[in-house]
Amino acid sequence: MNTTTAGIVFVAALIIALALVHVPLGDYMYRVYSGSKNSRAERVIYRIIGVQPEVEQPWPVYARSALAFSAVSVFFLFFFQLVQGHLPLHLHHQGTTMSADLSWNTAISFVTNTNWQNYSGEQTMGHLVQIAGLTVQNFVSAAVGMAVAIALVRGFARSRSNDLGNFWVDLVRGTIRILLPISIVFAIVLMAGGVIQNFHLYDQVASTAGNGGSQTLPGGLIASQEVIKELGTNGGGPYNVNSAHPFENPTAWTNGVEIFLLLVISFSLPRTFGRMVGSKKQGYAIVSVMGTLALFSLVLQNFFQLHHHGTVPTAVGAAMEGVETRFGVSNSATFATATTLTSTGAVDSAHDSYTSFGGMMTMFNMQLGEVAPGGTGSGLYGMLILAVITVFVAGLMVGRTPEYLGKKINPREIKLASAYFLTTPLIVLIGTGVAMALPGERAAMANTGPHGLSEVLYAFTSAANNNGSAFAGLSGNTVWWNTALGLAMAFGRFVPIVFALALAGSLAAQGRTPASEGTLPTHRPQFVGMVAGVTVILVALTFLPALALGPIAEGIH
């Protein structure tokens, strides 16, 4: 079986697996967020944090709760990293010193579900920080995204209501009932595939060459961190080379499992949405938009990597630079597509070594707003806001007040949706422009010309969209880069969340408008095509000039 055929078979198997779990997992998440009963463990947590689970919150209180929880998480993780050398299970010889600016960058990175890493994990973080700091944030940052998505769905589902649910209940249920059980099961699966799980800081292994030498191998609780890294679309790995490391991702089939994990919740949440708004067809329409964009990107990414250009790839017959031989070109391209279409950012190959147009696709995937299917929770609320923009555009075409799911899209709603969409492009383009205007910061680029610009553009695109992957040529561990990218991550996460919750509150306060002959059907293939088209056109109009100066110029050259 040649590489292309193997890649097609793998993608087909992945699609079948996601289709099989779409309904049961989506229905299960619907029951989790719609149920009224709390488990004993949940009631204990509510008593400890002083929450009344039966009391719901209007959108300003819901937003303040999400922001306050995230702020406390940043504060805790920031100091946790700085004092790790005085705690148990710390590294005895750190390869990278945890400075204040690097600690800030890492704290905001993991709390915002970005997991951008300006350090080598195995040389910087001790086991206690990995377990009690980074892994905990992998769970709760994903749960925050899911909670915001559910709050927006409630905005569509409810009528003449001021409440969107209780943030603390949604946070706890998402963590305990969804993320934790799936993580336990798949951690065992990954361990069966060879992913390590131990408390060893380092092991001295005798050389097989018979020369009396030895090799130092880092250990760690890798399987438990790896599974939530993918499931929660976090992406930050305990090792510097991330999912290309054989201790994190040993074989081709574990590679497939990890791709499945980083897609499964985001592709199942539209089913939850359909159940909550009382129309399964609406859920199928949203997942169809996600699937259409994802398949379009996947085909292009594989095409650009398999039909390579350039002297070296042509000579060796494949674009194998930066690619693990365990996975090959096609499966690596599929991983790259999945990790940048979601907000995961994990990598099993070096995106910086991709062909110029292959590297462009990884950027374009993030610039879509990571909605196909996007991050855990953030993909759904991003796609719903794009659906709101689409029905507004359609309403302008026919001269009617646009409606979506029985809710009118008035000036307030479209302003909030537009502000949501414009936030990340502003962060990306302003950040890239400032960085390129400063000679000292341009020095962080390993390359000059279009590829150097691509490194900077990729960094701000990744940070603002809370992805976390990078073009590895950029040396980001400086005070300026740690601060600038940290701000990009913070604004790129929390400003859109506020706009999404404000939109949810505005929609929930409305009554329900009965459908009429002039109502745009939003469950048919025409609407699916419209949403996909509007998404691509808006992103192309926003980012095409920057892409033309970077990867497109490099590819043409």
Side-chain angles (χ1 to χ4, degrees):
M1 185 182 297
N2 60 38
T3 302
T4 303
T5 304
I8 293 173
V9 170
F10 172 73
V11 170
L14 178 64
I15 292 172
I16 292 171
L18 291 171
L20 288 174
V21 301
H22 172 78
V23 171
L25 181 57
D27 287 349
Y28 173 71
M29 290 190 288
Y30 163 73
R31 292 192 296 271
V32 166
Y33 288 112
S34 301
S36 58
K37 293 183 178 180
N38 300 303
S39 68
R40 181 179 300 177
E42 291 166 353
R43 291 195 296 270
V44 170
I45 294 173
Y46 299 144
R47 283 198 295 270
I48 292 174
I49 62 178
V51 169
Q52 294 178 297
E54 67 281 357
V55 177
E56 294 201 349
Q57 300 170 322
W59 84 261
V61 179
Y62 200 103
R64 287 198 298 270
S65 299
L67 296 177
F69 175 75
S70 299
V72 171
S73 298
V74 170
F75 182 82
F76 169 77
L77 190 55
F78 173 78
F79 285 102
F80 197 13
Q81 293 173 87
L82 291 179
V83 302
Q84 64 174 305
H86 304 285
L87 300 174
L89 300 175
H90 67 274
L91 297 180
H92 299 297
H93 303 286
Q94 277 187 306
T96 303
T97 302
M98 186 52 67
S99 60
D101 57 283
L102 180 57
S103 181
W104 141 262
N105 182 279
T106 305
I108 201 72
S109 174
F110 276 79
V111 172
T112 59
N113 200 243
T114 310
N115 293 33
W116 175 277
Q117 294 174 290
N118 275 331
Y119 59 89
S120 299
E122 69 270 36
Q123 298 180 11
T124 308
M125 297 295 183
H127 290 343
L128 188 60
V129 175
Q130 293 276 18
I131 300 166
L134 305 186
T135 303
V136 168
Q137 287 306 317
N138 282 349
F139 278 96
V140 296
S141 65
V144 168
M146 295 166 69
V148 173
I150 295 300
L152 179 57
V153 174
R154 291 189 184 119
F156 285 108
R158 294 183 175 183
S159 179
R160 303 195 183 283
S161 173
N162 292 322
D163 297 326
L164 297 177
N166 187 305
F167 167 77
W168 305 103
V169 172
D170 294 338
L171 175 72
V172 170
R173 288 186 179 182
T175 303
I176 292 181
R177 299 193 192 183
I178 299 172
L179 297 173
L180 190 59
I182 299 175
S183 295
I184 291 172
V185 171
F186 278 93
I188 296 171
V189 172
L190 291 180
M191 282 190 288
V195 180
I196 68 170
Q197 183 83 350
N198 57 55
F199 279 98
H200 301 173
L201 287 175
Y202 294 102
D203 283 324
Q204 294 290 327
V205 180
S207 171
T208 58
N211 56 9
S214 63
Q215 183 179 6
T216 301
L217 300 178
L221 295 160
I222 308 304
S224 55
Q225 187 170 348
E226 188 73 14
V227 66
I228 190 58
K229 179 187 93 173
E230 313 294 6
L231 181 67
T233 61
N234 295 284
Y239 296 121
N240 186 41
V241 293
N242 208 272
S243 289
H245 199 292
F247 288 176
E248 287 193 39
N249 192 6
T251 64
W253 76 262
T254 59
N255 190 60
V257 169
E258 293 189 11
I259 295 174
F260 171 79
L261 285 172
L262 62 88
L263 293 169
V264 64
I265 289 181
S266 296
F267 265 127
S268 298
L269 274 172
R271 171 72 178 191
T272 307
F273 158 71
R275 291 291 305 275
M276 291 183 71
V277 299
S279 174
K280 297 175 185 177
K281 292 180 179 179
Q282 298 292 342
Y284 288 133
I286 292 298
V287 79
S288 296
V289 179
M290 292 177 170
T292 299
L293 292 172
L295 189 60
F296 173 77
S297 173
L298 181 63
V299 170
L300 285 180
Q301 183 75 74
N302 273 271
F303 177 82
F304 290 140
Q305 290 304 107
L306 292 170
H307 296 79
H308 43 77
H309 69 280
T311 305
V312 175
T314 301
V316 301
M320 281 297 295
E321 180 185 348
V323 173
E324 268 294 317
T325 55
R326 301 194 309 275
F327 311 135
V329 174
S330 182
N331 285 0
S332 296
T334 299
F335 195 111
T337 302
T339 197
T340 51
L341 283 173
T342 62
S343 66
T344 310
V347 293
D348 71 351
S349 56
H351 294 181
D352 192 39
S353 297
Y354 274 31
T355 63
S356 51
F357 290 124
M360 179 191 71
M361 284 306 302
T362 60
M363 274 189 275
F364 189 76
N365 290 341
M366 293 183 285
Q367 290 162 357
L368 284 172
E370 299 197 298
V371 293
T376 304
S378 61
L380 178 61
Y381 64 74
M383 181 54 74
L384 291 177
I385 288 176
L386 284 168
V388 167
I389 294 174
T390 300
V391 296
F392 177 77
V393 172
L396 291 178
M397 292 178 178
V398 298
R400 285 179 55 90
T401 301
E403 302 168 11
Y404 185 53
L405 301 178
K407 300 299 180 77
K408 289 187 177 296
I409 308 304
N410 296 308
R412 172 178 170 78
E413 285 76 28
I414 194 59
K415 287 176 183 176
L416 291 169
S418 299
Y420 176 97
F421 175 81
L422 291 172
T423 297
T424 49
L426 282 173
I427 297 170
V428 172
L429 297 176
I430 291 174
T432 302
V434 170
M436 294 303 295
L438 300 176
E441 312 321 321
R442 288 202 307 271
M445 301 184 309
N447 296 274
T448 58
H451 196 79
L453 172 62
S454 295
E455 292 174 355
V456 176
L457 179 62
Y458 193 110
F460 279 100
T461 299
S462 177
N465 287 282
N466 302 134
N467 183 270
S469 63
F471 265 21
L474 187 72
S475 300
N477 189 16
T478 67
V479 173
W480 192 90
W481 280 104
N482 280 328
T483 304
L485 293 177
L487 290 172
M489 289 183 268
F491 288 126
R493 173 73 164 182
F494 299 123
V495 174
I497 280 179
V498 172
F499 287 135
L501 290 173
L503 177 61
S506 181
L507 293 169
Q510 290 187 26
R512 192 164 300 280
T513 303
S516 65
E517 290 184 0
T519 302
L520 174 69
T522 55
H523 60 277
R524 296 178 180 172
Q526 296 95 319
F527 183 72
V528 172
M530 285 181 62
V531 177
V534 166
T535 302
V536 172
I537 291 170
L538 288 177
V539 172
L541 290 173
T542 305
F543 288 106
L544 185 59
L547 293 172
L549 294 173
I552 294 177
E554 183 184 2
I556 293 173
H557 177 73

